[in-house]
Amino acid sequence: MDTSGEKKLTKKDLRRVMWRHYQLLGAFNYERQMSLGYAWSMTPVLKRLYGDNPEALKAGYKRHLEFFNCTTSTSPMILGISCAMEEQNANTPDFDATSINAVKSALMGPLAGIGDSMFWGTLRVIGVGVGAPLAVRGSLLGPLLYFLTNVIPSELLRWYGFKLTYQGGSKFLTRIQEDGTLEKLTEAAKILGLVVIGAMIASMVVIKVPLVLHLGGTTVSLQTTLNSLTPDLLPLLLTFGCYGLLKKQMNGTAILIGLIILAILAVAVGLL
């Protein structure tokens, strides 16, 4: 914080965020995935900006405990934007704090796709393919080649990506906040998030009903009938049901266990 009263992140704060981000997967869970690691990484920023305001600090932690999942190599780019936006939020009374998570959600998918294909699907495979045979023969060149092929590019992207997104984010956010673009981007990000969730429901939640009814000599497939009414109706209803339970503060792990038990019973009696 400088003498003008403006709250400003220091280089030390930003370095602490970067060192902490290596623990993004340290507390992974299937309800919010990397959210604990993200909140842990953002802690130096939140304390610097809201340390004198307990309610604002609490709200900041709640923001960054929302669902987050992205390739670790590209996650610092989102962290850089989050740091810039939190700084803007702390210094701008009318800043829309919901835009912070909206931007995170909008960036997660594209950066995860880039990170997974680049590092997990390409550089790691090349590094292992070239380095493993040499390492098996006892050559130090094996791990060295893997380090140069996969680890070094990942580290460069992490540190320089974080720096560029934080520095560029601060200037960029000031401009789009003034001309109203941020509000439009936030709304677009929310819509995009809902579209992605809808697509995930249709592609990842699978419920097939094998029941076949014999009515007056006619065979009726219950699954075909449901699909003719609304494709993927049962997955949609199940998703809405789980969402309703989460809104009632039911534990996500309890819901997951309940679904497993329900699925076993339904298969045992022939409903699924």
Side-chain angles (χ1 to χ4, degrees):
M1 189 185 302
D2 62 21
T3 55
S4 67
E6 180 183 5
K7 295 182 177 180
K8 188 72 177 173
L9 297 176
T10 65
K11 291 183 178 180
K12 182 179 179 181
D13 296 328
L14 298 173
R15 281 197 301 269
R16 291 176 66 193
V17 170
M18 274 304 296
W19 286 117
R20 285 175 176 235
H21 100 276
Y22 287 105
Q23 300 170 358
L24 277 172
L25 290 172
F28 188 92
N29 66 83
Y30 284 99
E31 183 178 352
R32 300 187 182 184
Q33 306 215 358
M34 298 161 68
S35 62
L36 284 172
Y38 201 94
W40 167 252
S41 300
M42 289 295 295
T43 294
V45 169
L46 298 177
K47 287 185 175 180
R48 170 70 65 182
L49 298 174
Y50 311 116
D52 57 349
N53 187 338
E55 289 304 314
L57 181 61
K58 189 186 302 182
Y61 276 121
K62 288 182 69 175
R63 273 195 298 277
H64 296 294
L65 283 171
E66 292 295 326
F67 176 91
F68 180 81
N69 188 36
C70 188
T71 310
T72 52
S73 298
T74 52
S75 291
M77 300 175 74
I78 304 179
L79 280 166
I81 290 287
S82 291
C83 291
M85 295 188 77
E86 288 290 357
E87 193 173 58
Q88 191 81 5
N89 181 54
N91 292 296
T92 309
D94 58 348
F95 190 88
D96 182 9
T98 63
S99 64
I100 299 173
N101 272 345
V103 171
K104 279 171 60 179
S105 299
L107 292 175
M108 278 190 294
L111 287 179
I114 294 170
D116 286 348
S117 60
M118 180 184 296
F119 293 101
W120 287 100
T122 304
L123 296 181
R124 183 174 67 100
V125 175
I126 293 173
V128 171
V130 174
L134 295 171
V136 169
R137 296 189 185 97
S139 173
L140 289 176
L141 191 59
L144 179 61
L145 284 174
Y146 176 79
F147 191 79
L148 292 173
T149 304
N150 187 41
V151 179
I152 291 296
S154 174
E155 290 302 305
L156 289 174
L157 180 62
R158 289 172 194 253
W159 286 86
Y160 282 101
F162 176 79
K163 180 179 179 180
L164 290 173
T165 53
Y166 169 70
Q167 291 178 344
S170 300
K171 300 173 184 176
F172 177 68
L173 288 169
T174 300
R175 187 172 70 251
I176 64 175
Q177 172 75 8
E178 292 173 351
D179 63 16
T181 304
L182 181 59
E183 184 179 352
K184 297 175 183 177
L185 287 174
T186 301
E187 187 64 24
K190 291 177 181 178
I191 294 172
L192 177 62
L194 292 174
V195 170
V196 171
I197 291 172
M200 288 177 63
I201 293 172
S203 62
M204 300 182 68
V205 183
V206 180
I207 301 177
K208 295 187 181 297
V209 181
L211 286 179
V212 176
L213 304 178
H214 301 280
L215 304 172
T218 303
T219 300
V220 179
S221 169
L222 188 56
Q223 182 66 55
T224 302
T225 302
L226 290 172
N227 286 339
S228 65
L229 294 173
T230 302
D232 295 315
L233 176 61
L234 292 179
L236 181 63
L237 293 176
L238 179 64
T239 303
F240 281 157
C242 293
Y243 177 72
L245 293 175
L246 289 172
K247 291 286 286 184
K248 293 180 179 179
Q249 305 300 315
M250 180 172 286
N251 184 272
T253 302
I255 295 174
L256 180 62
I257 294 173
L259 288 174
I260 293 173
I261 295 173
L262 180 63
I264 292 173
L265 294 175
V267 170
V269 300
L271 289 177
L272 295 177

